């Protein structure tokens, strides 16, 4: 996207919440909370091409031009 529109800015509202375990959590609960916290960022990572590159980054300029 930056090749086509260098000034492009992507803004999102996520994450909206901070997921943390309770104070008396066992290790399993701590790990689960950490995983759920990290999963909140998946939509942004997809939009920016950090994961699911096919969703966030065009494979060629001609592919991007279809959306302009």
């Amino acid at each position: 996207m930056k090749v086509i529109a260098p000034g492009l800015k992507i803004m999102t509202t996520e994450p909206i919440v901070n997921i943390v375990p309770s104070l008396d959590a066992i290790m399993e609960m701590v790990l689960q909370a950490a995983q759920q916290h990290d999963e909140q960022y998946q939509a942004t990572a997809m939009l920016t091409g950090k994961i699911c590159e096919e969703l966030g980054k065009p494979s060629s300029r001609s592919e991007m031009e279809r959306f302009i």
Side-chain angles (χ1 to χ4, degrees):
M1 286 192 246
K2 291 281 188 180
V3 172
I4 303 299
L8 178 74
K9 302 275 190 233
I10 297 175
M11 296 177 62
T12 68
T13 58
E14 63 179 332
I16 294 176
V17 298
N18 184 25
I19 300 174
V20 296
S22 63
L23 294 175
D24 61 344
I26 60 173
M27 184 54 70
E28 181 181 346
M29 296 164 75
V30 172
L31 295 173
Q32 182 181 17
Q35 180 180 353
Q36 290 174 344
H37 177 80
D38 291 342
E39 288 171 353
Q40 295 182 97
Y41 295 92
Q42 284 186 344
T44 299
M46 287 178 188
L47 288 171
T48 58
K50 291 179 182 175
I51 60 173
C52 300
E53 186 172 316
E54 68 278 6
L55 298 177
K57 295 180 182 177
S59 60
S60 69
R61 182 175 175 90
S62 61
E63 182 180 330
M64 186 60 183
E65 289 170 346
R66 291 185 303 154
F67 301 102
I68 298 176

